[in-house]
Amino acid sequence: MEKTIHVALETLIGTPSQRQARPEVHAKPHPSSRSPRSNERDAGTFFLETFGCQMNDHDSEKVAGVLVSRGYTQVQTPADASVILYNTCSIREKAAQKVFSRLGEFRGTSDAGKIIGVLGCVAQQEGENIFNRAPWVSLVCGSASYRKLPEMLDKLEAGDRRVTGLDNDTDETFETEITRRDNPFRAFLTIIEGCDKACSYCVVPFTRGPERSRASDSILREVRELAELGYSEVQLLGQTVNSYKDPTSSKMKFSELLLAVADVPGIRRVRFTTSHPRDFTPDIVAAIDAQPKLCDHVHLPVQSGSSEVLRAMARTYTREEYLERIALIRAVKREISITTDIIVGFPGETEEHFQETLRLLEEVRFDALFAFKYSPRPNTPSLAMNDPIPEEEKSRRLAVLQKVQSEIQSARHAKMIGQTMEVLVSGKSRRENRWSGHASSNRVLNFTSPHQDLLGTYVNVLVTDAGPASLIGEHVL
Ligand code: 5AD
Ligand code: SF4
């Protein structure tokens, strides 16, 4: 996420190296985390590296679940694996290139003889072209076909040279009973796949296909199971999660679904990402207001502060309409943290448009920002737009945005010193008595406590210090 502002509370798009860049924090496995049933067959070993967003992280949990249940064992290096898989992201060009550079590392090595597979968005976008660019790849599979992976691997083992799974409008991507969750504290749950919004810069409608919502009864059944397994926090996922449309006869609205999930015994926190401003209706805000288990955090990507740019992006709302949504959220009785995504350097973005975005930051005072330089993507309408912004100018705008946001965050965080926040403890430092976790607002808190065995518990933390990215505190005993 080379272009992302590093003042974020939590990355929505991250690279594996970033995820590993917290060497001091070791989360031990949740005692009740589910281990998928194995059919006891020793099918081989697999290595799986994930790029991209939380949807991809969670897809990898599904892939691992499917493979482990078929007798495969997960290993930590390509050298130890008989099957090497990359779950890829194509949202920006750099992310897509990263995969090809990974694949290039196998050229002329003995690992090139193993089964090497490309999964996810680059697979869907490039399809069989991948075989031309990296002939040692033998499997290309988009996110809607992961359930078919074992059969695809069987075919390869039976002698097929190449297999593909590139359907992208099936609803087979939703959870399976064998999803193998990596995060022992927060259970991710896909409730809607694909996207029908067609923003002019975005590959997602192409790589993940049309919008498909999962049945509400099936979602609620799984949340009950997750609660029984010991999860107290669930995060509902979708590219446009709040565009959820229940396909069952109960026609539950998204806001009703949120409340129903919060009512499941054992569930203490409900999160959801990512929301589209157009579908962020007052009933969702009313649900948050009425039910504190719905976390104090809304991620609402704005993309630009200029109505003109928003129109060119086909975002279907204006700056003013976005600000109306913010006003609704700010009217909630408790303070709700609001985070956003912004793209700088969209074709035709003038200095004045960019200044409007800066003014929006000052007006809203977001709690965190994920900012990106516009990256032209295949199959998107904006690819054909004139007036490209030079790369250096995009970098300049990104840096200005980061600076403004960093100051806003430092100021907001400084005001939190002296407050007490409830934290779900998810990490322990190697250093004695140091822990970390997230508040309901999704803020990261690093804190001290003399207690042992805090992982997975909720504790009250007094904020004693603050930086732009996180808060520091001590356990209130
Ligand atoms: N270029 C740059 N950023 C993009 N995003 C999506 N498509 C592009 C693109 N072509 C950003 C948007 C989105 C986030 C996940 O990635 O800000 O909200
Ligand atoms: Fe892409 Fe727009 Fe859909 Fe988000 S809402 S996934 S930015 S097309």
Side-chain angles (χ1 to χ4, degrees), residues 418-421 445 460-465 472-476:
Q419 287 180 21
T420 299
M421 298 182 182
L445 274 104
N460 285 324
V461 174
L462 173 71
V463 179
T464 53
D465 203 356
I472 294 167
E474 53 197 44
H475 187 175
V476 181

Side-chain angles (χ1 to χ4, degrees), residues 87-153:
N87 188 4
T88 61
C89 169
S90 66
I91 197 115
R92 283 168 293 277
E93 198 187 350
K94 279 243 172 83
Q97 277 169 355
K98 211 172 284 171
V99 176
F100 285 104
S101 78
R102 276 286 193 289
L103 293 175
E105 288 166 16
F106 293 107
R107 190 189 304 271
T109 70
S110 57
D111 281 344
K114 297 178 175 178
I115 294 177
I116 300 179
V118 178
L119 314 179
C121 294
V122 174
Q124 198 68 51
Q125 182 186 294
E126 297 288 322
E128 301 193 355
N129 279 339
I130 294 176
F131 297 136
N132 302 330
R133 285 184 70 175
W136 46 93
V137 170
S138 50
L139 184 153
V140 170
C141 180
S143 63
S145 304
Y146 291 156
R147 280 177 193 233
K148 298 194 190 115
L149 273 173
E151 292 92 276
M152 295 169 78
L153 291 170

Side-chain angles (χ1 to χ4, degrees), residues 13 91-92 201-202 301 303 341 343 372-375 377:
I13 304 272
I91 197 115
R92 283 168 293 277
Y201 51 80
C202 187
Q303 312 299 0
D341 294 347
I343 298 175
F372 312 97
K373 294 192 273 189
Y374 169 71
S375 166
R377 306 305 298 129

Side-chain angles (χ1 to χ4, degrees), residues 335-472:
E335 191 180 336
I336 305 297
S337 159
I338 304 175
T339 57
T340 201
D341 294 347
I342 285 178
I343 298 175
V344 297
F346 187 76
E349 184 191 63
T350 61
E351 178 60 27
E352 176 47 31
H353 294 140
F354 176 61
Q355 291 295 328
E356 282 187 81
T357 299
L358 292 178
R359 285 198 290 275
L360 185 90
L361 289 197
E362 297 287 3
E363 194 163 336
V364 178
R365 299 184 72 72
F366 291 105
D367 294 88
L369 164 67
F370 303 85
F372 312 97
K373 294 192 273 189
Y374 169 71
S375 166
R377 306 305 298 129
N379 306 303
T380 58
S382 64
L383 193 61
M385 288 179 188
N386 291 326
D387 206 6
I389 313 287
E391 205 50 31
E392 316 76 74
E393 178 56 15
K394 286 186 200 167
S395 302
R396 187 194 68 80
R397 291 183 191 176
L398 188 69
V400 173
L401 206 67
Q402 286 174 330
K403 186 158 180 293
V404 169
Q405 177 62 19
S406 179
E407 284 161 6
I408 291 172
Q409 268 176 233
S410 296
R412 280 183 78 75
H413 283 179
K415 285 198 182 143
M416 289 168 192
I417 295 173
Q419 287 180 21
T420 299
M421 298 182 182
E422 189 187 62
V423 171
L424 169 55
V425 186
S426 56
K428 179 175 181 358
S429 164
R430 280 208 195 92
R431 279 182 291 169
E432 200 52 17
N433 303 334
R434 285 175 193 256
W435 305 82
S436 65
H438 289 83
S440 171
S441 63
N442 218 23
R443 276 194 186 80
V444 175
L445 274 104
N446 297 305
F447 65 97
T448 51
S449 171
H451 282 255
Q452 303 297 315
D453 294 333
L454 288 181
L455 287 176
T457 66
Y458 290 81
V459 299
N460 285 324
V461 174
L462 173 71
V463 179
T464 53
D465 203 356
S470 61
L471 301 175
I472 294 167

Side-chain angles (χ1 to χ4, degrees), residues 191-192 236-244 254 272-275:
I191 67 160
I192 173 170
L236 309 181
L237 293 179
Q239 299 294 338
T240 53
V241 71
N242 59 325
S243 310
Y244 176 80
F254 177 64
F272 54 93
T273 41
T274 288
S275 295

Side-chain angles (χ1 to χ4, degrees), residues 131-414:
F131 297 136
N132 302 330
R133 285 184 70 175
W136 46 93
V137 170
S138 50
L139 184 153
V140 170
C141 180
S143 63
S145 304
Y146 291 156
R147 280 177 193 233
K148 298 194 190 115
L149 273 173
E151 292 92 276
M152 295 169 78
L153 291 170
D154 285 348
K155 279 192 192 160
L156 288 171
E157 269 155 21
D160 281 17
R161 174 82 183 81
R162 280 163 177 170
V163 292
T164 55
L166 295 168
D167 271 0
N168 78 351
D169 62 354
T170 72
D171 58 8
E172 293 196 357
T173 46
F174 294 132
E175 310 306 326
T176 67
E177 74 278 11
I178 49 180
T179 296
R180 199 228 43 197
R181 291 189 160 78
D182 289 327
N183 186 326
F185 309 106
R186 185 183 291 189
F188 294 102
L189 198 65
T190 310
I191 67 160
I192 173 170
E193 256 295 342
C195 180
D196 281 350
K197 290 287 188 288
C199 301
S200 60
Y201 51 80
C202 187
V203 281
V204 168
F206 187 76
T207 57
R208 286 189 173 265
E211 203 176 275
R212 292 96 69 200
S213 292
R214 182 178 175 191
S216 56
D217 50 357
S218 146
I219 297 170
L220 290 168
R221 195 177 326 117
E222 185 161 9
V223 174
R224 283 192 288 272
E225 284 171 18
L226 289 167
E228 276 162 26
L229 285 164
Y231 285 101
S232 58
E233 181 172 310
V234 288
Q235 179 157 341
L236 309 181
L237 293 179
Q239 299 294 338
T240 53
V241 71
N242 59 325
S243 310
Y244 176 80
K245 284 177 207 69
D246 185 6
T248 71
S249 57
S250 52
K251 298 249 172 294
M252 225 180 225
K253 286 160 73 172
F254 177 64
S255 56
E256 293 166 341
L257 179 69
L258 288 177
L259 292 171
V261 170
D263 274 345
V264 170
I267 296 300
R268 283 178 70 161
R269 283 181 173 182
V270 183
R271 300 182 185 279
F272 54 93
T273 41
T274 288
S275 295
H276 191 285
R278 196 190 68 192
D279 297 334
F280 209 83
T281 44
D283 56 311
I284 301 174
V285 182
I288 295 172
D289 207 358
Q291 173 52 279
K293 286 186 193 175
L294 303 183
C295 283
D296 306 349
H297 175 214
V298 173
H299 183 65
L300 201 63
V302 63
Q303 312 299 0
S304 168
S306 148
S307 295
E308 215 172 310
V309 175
L310 289 171
R311 191 165 352 102
M313 288 177 163
R315 286 293 287 175
T316 70
Y317 55 85
T318 61
R319 173 194 174 97
E320 290 67 35
E321 284 162 344
Y322 183 84
L323 287 172
E324 282 166 20
R325 303 285 190 274
I326 298 295
L328 275 179
I329 300 169
R330 293 268 192 251
V332 168
K333 287 187 287 295
R334 58 191 201 278
E335 191 180 336
I336 305 297
S337 159
I338 304 175
T339 57
T340 201
D341 294 347
I342 285 178
I343 298 175
V344 297
F346 187 76
E349 184 191 63
T350 61
E351 178 60 27
E352 176 47 31
H353 294 140
F354 176 61
Q355 291 295 328
E356 282 187 81
T357 299
L358 292 178
R359 285 198 290 275
L360 185 90
L361 289 197
E362 297 287 3
E363 194 163 336
V364 178
R365 299 184 72 72
F366 291 105
D367 294 88
L369 164 67
F370 303 85
F372 312 97
K373 294 192 273 189
Y374 169 71
S375 166
R377 306 305 298 129
N379 306 303
T380 58
S382 64
L383 193 61
M385 288 179 188
N386 291 326
D387 206 6
I389 313 287
E391 205 50 31
E392 316 76 74
E393 178 56 15
K394 286 186 200 167
S395 302
R396 187 194 68 80
R397 291 183 191 176
L398 188 69
V400 173
L401 206 67
Q402 286 174 330
K403 186 158 180 293
V404 169
Q405 177 62 19
S406 179
E407 284 161 6
I408 291 172
Q409 268 176 233
S410 296
R412 280 183 78 75
H413 283 179

